[in-house]
Amino acid sequence: MEMTRRSFALTGLTALTGLALGGTSLSAFAAGKAGTLRYGTVTEVTNIDPHIYAGNSWKVLIGVLYSPLVTFDTKGEIVPAVAESWEQPDAATIVFRLREGVTFHDGSALTADDVVFSLERIRDEATGATLRGYLVDCTIAKVDERTVEVKKSEPDASLLSVLALPEAAMVSKAWVESGVNIKSQANGTGPFTLAEYESGVRARLAANPSYFVEGEPKLKAVDFRMIKSDDARVSALRSGQLDMIDFVPWKDIDMLARMPNFEVDSASGAFMSVWFNATRAPFDDPRVRRAMAFAVDREAISRAAFFGHGTPIFSVPTPPDSPYFNADLKGTVSLDIEKAKALLAEAGHGEGLDMELIVYQGLGIYTTTAQILQANLKEIGVNVSIRLVEWSDLVSRKNGADYDAMIYGVSMKLNDPDAYSYYLGSESAYWAKPIGYRDETLEALLDEGRQLTDQGARKAVYAKAEERILETMPWIFINYREQAQAYTRKVKGYVHLGGALSEAAPAISLPKIALD
């Protein structure tokens, strides 16, 4: 696949200097842009290391500050980013040809050495990178100054999709090795530069004059405001203090959609789940986890928490429109109190047990879901203590394995069934690795499916993988949730994506958005 775009090739400057180059000042560059987008986001971003996933809002920021080798467009197709082209000589190898003239925000040129360093940083266990499990068995080699080869030990049908994720961002080797705090500073090649950042509160982005895509970004700046209160976020949009908000409260989706001044784009793709610390007793027993899964009233949660914008999941979260959807699993896990009690008794907890449920307090869907779960599990003798926490605390507990169970909302991440590895594979820094979870049967199936290229053969393997997931129930899958963005009608060019790309949609669209 080829795509040629002219680079601005402005070097030695950031979007904050106001200095002139070649007769054109950066202030003049900014003046040609169409204003500042005021964007209200729900989760507090407290760590902007581009290789360690930290939530939806993090993904939006990282997606516009940094660039991977390839990326997704507004149609969900993989297109060039810092790599202008690529070829796959075999099912285990991808060779990337880098664009000329791509620069980091500090003005330094992106080189093949930076690409190798970036991917090796992801592979380094000390980084704690989210995608390490996908790249751990890779060999990354510089072929020449503009060519890098990524080779896995076995064929991998999902590798290109993985490298298109924002979590596969390119960073500057010299900049990182200079000792900067990569958790609070940024130096990418993306369409926006980091002008200001107040951890957990706000981030202000300025247009990158050196961005390699001609005509982008269209905005002069983006002002990210982190507002965890549902009502406060909606109120700020309605009063004109914000131009756009994410995570439209489900109770407000229909109301805002009826108002003439706003657009509301909603799509499915994300799903709600309960994550167990599946190596901590008694949650290390699959019978305990399955018992709780059969006690959950998914219909009640979908009605009460999502106001008609949620659909129960009675099996696994592979979307029905996926070519890998297995209709035979439909209805595998439904509300069955007697079965739940029997499983709990079989596991030696017929008298019940106590547990703590960690819940993010910034979104009403989490607290409502938690309250219904608490009532559901009480029916089988499980006493649930709800602990409401800030987003940063929830992420810290997840990464530190400091929980019995927690409610979490995610998407499948990839348009590929190997998305299960992102979470449930033993090398997953996101969920499995921090708690030391490894299911040998599932691991073997994920490895097998990843190495196949024939879709029919892959579907058969992933069907077995999904059966194993339901047998062991490391997570309880609750429901799909529609995820909505709302914005004033002066915002033009936003495209809302569903499925695996639902949380990346704002980052994909931001360089293309303009304000009337």
Side-chain angles (χ1 to χ4, degrees):
M1 184 183 295
E2 291 279 349
M3 182 176 293
T4 303
R5 294 187 176 110
R6 181 168 59 87
S7 169
F8 285 97
L10 300 179
T11 59
L13 299 173
T14 72
L16 305 179
T17 61
L19 300 177
L21 181 66
T24 302
S25 72
L26 293 184
S27 58
F29 169 84
K33 300 296 177 180
T36 297
L37 179 77
R38 299 163 301 168
Y39 186 93
T41 184
V42 64
T43 51
E44 308 99 325
V45 182
T46 59
N47 177 0
I48 54 173
D49 186 321
H51 295 148
I52 304 174
Y53 179 91
N56 284 58
S57 303
W58 172 93
K59 195 154 191 166
V60 178
L61 275 177
I62 297 306
V64 295
L65 291 171
Y66 291 89
S67 310
L69 286 161
V70 293
T71 190
F72 293 97
D73 65 12
T74 53
K75 296 179 181 177
E77 301 293 331
I78 295 177
V79 296
V82 301
E84 67 180 9
S85 63
W86 63 90
E87 60 179 359
Q88 296 183 264
D90 57 64
T93 308
I94 308 177
V95 180
F96 294 96
R97 183 69 172 168
L98 304 181
R99 295 177 188 266
E100 288 189 274
V102 176
T103 59
F104 290 101
H105 296 159
D106 65 1
S108 61
L110 177 137
T111 67
D113 291 325
D114 295 308
V115 174
V116 173
F117 175 81
S118 299
L119 298 180
E120 290 290 358
R121 184 175 189 268
I122 293 172
R123 291 181 69 244
D124 185 354
E125 189 170 12
T127 304
T130 307
L131 298 182
R132 179 177 183 270
Y134 285 101
L135 302 184
V136 67
D137 65 342
C138 277
T139 300
I140 296 129
K142 172 183 172 181
V143 178
D144 59 40
E145 293 304 318
R146 288 184 56 206
T147 310
V148 174
E149 179 188 79
V150 180
K151 188 175 186 64
K152 297 203 74 171
S153 60
E154 301 286 349
D156 186 344
S158 66
L159 182 57
L160 188 64
S161 293
V162 168
L163 293 174
L165 294 172
E167 297 95 310
M170 296 297 105
V171 297
S172 162
K173 181 177 186 289
W175 181 72
V176 174
E177 290 183 339
S178 72
V180 297
N181 185 353
I182 197 170
K183 295 182 178 181
S184 61
Q185 297 170 264
N187 181 32
T189 61
F192 293 94
T193 67
L194 186 64
E196 299 175 38
Y197 173 61
E198 186 177 352
S199 177
V201 179
R202 67 188 297 264
R204 186 173 177 84
L205 311 183
N208 174 15
S210 316
Y211 188 46
F212 51 79
V213 178
E214 184 176 5
E216 295 182 8
K218 299 182 183 301
L219 293 164
K220 178 173 66 176
V222 181
D223 188 6
F224 277 88
R225 304 178 191 177
M226 302 167 197
I227 307 171
K228 64 186 179 184
S229 165
D230 284 350
D231 290 340
R233 213 163 54 259
V234 171
S235 177
L237 177 70
R238 294 185 64 182
S239 65
Q241 298 175 59
L242 294 175
D243 304 304
M244 187 172 189
I245 63 172
D246 67 6
F247 280 86
V248 178
W250 283 258
K251 66 182 178 62
D252 296 325
I253 290 176
D254 293 336
M255 177 271 291
L256 286 174
R258 289 192 296 267
M259 300 181 73
N261 296 332
F262 303 108
E263 293 279 357
V264 177
D265 287 335
S266 182
S268 187
F271 60 90
M272 298 297 286
S273 50
V274 175
W275 296 8
F276 292 104
N277 190 338
T279 54
R280 173 189 289 184
F283 314 104
D284 57 344
D285 188 332
R287 294 171 297 182
V288 171
R289 304 193 298 260
R290 280 172 54 80
M292 295 189 197
F294 281 104
V296 176
D297 189 341
R298 293 162 177 78
E299 295 276 9
I301 291 173
S302 296
R303 288 194 304 270
F306 295 90
F307 296 84
H309 296 281
T311 305
I313 297 175
F314 297 110
S315 58
V316 289
T318 298
D321 59 354
S322 167
Y324 295 95
F325 179 72
N326 184 0
D328 292 340
L329 294 179
K330 192 173 181 179
T332 302
V333 187
S334 56
L335 181 61
D336 190 334
I337 296 298
E338 294 309 311
K339 184 169 186 175
K341 288 179 177 178
L343 282 165
L344 207 58
E346 183 182 327
H349 299 283
E351 301 301 315
L353 57 86
D354 298 330
M355 63 175 285
E356 182 180 70
L357 183 65
I358 305 299
V359 180
Y360 173 47
Q361 65 180 3
L363 280 172
I365 55 169
Y366 281 80
T367 51
T368 302
T369 298
Q371 289 163 355
I372 296 173
L373 283 172
Q374 184 181 50
N376 290 162
L377 295 177
K378 184 72 173 176
E379 290 190 53
I380 63 169
V382 177
N383 300 308
V384 176
S385 172
I386 296 173
R387 179 183 290 271
L388 298 176
V389 299
E390 300 290 345
W391 179 254
S392 58
D393 188 16
L394 183 140
V395 172
S396 176
R397 285 172 176 270
K398 174 182 72 70
N399 293 341
D402 182 19
Y403 61 96
D404 290 339
M406 60 173 57
I407 297 176
Y408 223 98
V410 291
S411 68
M412 287 295 281
K413 302 296 183 184
L414 299 172
N415 286 322
D416 186 281
D418 197 41
Y420 286 115
S421 295
Y422 189 99
Y423 301 111
L424 305 180
S426 64
E427 288 295 326
S428 167
Y430 199 93
W431 177 76
K433 198 171 184 65
I435 62 172
Y437 181 81
R438 182 185 179 94
D439 181 80
E440 295 295 348
T441 301
L442 179 61
E443 199 77 10
L445 289 166
L446 293 175
D447 286 345
E448 182 182 358
R450 193 179 305 120
Q451 294 172 30
L452 297 171
T453 55
D454 178 76
Q455 188 178 92
R458 296 190 84 210
K459 183 173 182 178
V461 171
Y462 284 109
K464 293 179 182 177
E466 291 180 330
E467 288 172 5
R468 182 61 181 173
I469 290 168
L470 294 175
E471 287 170 1
T472 55
M473 202 65 69
W475 296 4
I476 297 174
F477 304 108
I478 299 175
N479 67 337
Y480 299 109
R481 68 183 196 208
E482 290 184 34
Q483 200 147 304
Q485 304 278 134
Y487 47 95
T488 65
R489 292 191 181 276
K490 69 178 181 178
V491 174
K492 304 296 182 183
Y494 178 72
V495 177
H496 196 56
L497 300 173
L501 297 179
S502 60
E503 67 175 349
I508 293 169
S509 280
L510 267 176
K512 301 167 176 56
I513 287 177
L515 295 176
D516 275 354

